[in-house]
Amino acid sequence: MISVRDAAKDFLNEVGITLDDILNQMDEDPEGIDESLRKRIWLDDTSARKLESSLSSRHLNYLIFVLQTFYIINPSGLYKSMFIIPTRESVMRGEKATIEGVHLVLKALGIRPIS
């Protein structure tokens, strides 16, 4: 087993880029971030506003990157033959993440919502 945080670090190291390289290329426009989140997460308006107001745009983009890379396009739930924790089954429902799954991923990434 491997935590999604460690998998992300290893993945970025292996491809020779930094997290900043990724985040600097991602959308910082609130409308663009909202659209990206809604494509990847089952969100109602209240949950979307709460998530977006409690995290910085960099944290939201990091979340989008991790969901896309390790959960959405990776139906096996494995990274280098190791199960990613939290598991895909606990994060995803169909092709999108649940809000509960998002909270598990954020916790695993060490991201705490702004109070």
Side-chain angles (χ1 to χ4, degrees):
M1 291 190 277
I2 186 170
S3 74
V4 71
R5 184 179 191 171
D6 290 342
K9 285 180 186 178
D10 184 74
F11 174 81
L12 291 170
N13 185 51
E14 192 167 288
V15 296
I17 58 176
T18 67
L19 183 57
D20 282 339
D21 294 335
I22 297 277
L23 297 179
N24 288 337
Q25 297 301 313
M26 294 180 78
D27 199 347
E28 291 199 23
D29 173 55
E31 288 180 22
I33 292 173
D34 180 71
E35 184 179 327
S36 290
L37 290 170
R38 289 176 187 267
K39 285 181 181 178
R40 292 165 178 86
I41 305 168
W42 296 107
L43 288 173
D44 59 30
D45 289 340
T46 302
S47 295
R49 280 192 303 277
K50 186 175 179 181
L51 184 63
E52 291 167 15
S53 68
S54 68
L55 297 172
S56 68
S57 62
R58 289 185 67 80
H59 282 151
L60 290 167
N61 279 324
Y62 185 28
L63 173 65
I64 291 165
F65 165 72
V66 166
L67 288 174
Q68 184 67 34
T69 304
F70 297 100
Y71 294 98
I72 295 171
I73 63 170
N74 179 21
S76 72
L78 299 173
Y79 179 74
K80 294 186 175 181
S81 301
M82 294 178 281
F83 282 103
I84 299 169
I85 302 299
T87 64
R88 188 175 197 283
E89 293 76 26
S90 63
V91 173
M92 303 291 291
R93 184 177 75 227
E95 296 303 312
K96 288 185 178 185
T98 64
I99 194 67
E100 296 82 8
V102 165
H103 291 296
L104 292 172
V105 170
L106 290 172
K107 184 176 178 181
L109 294 174
I111 298 174
R112 298 185 192 275
I114 301 165
S115 299

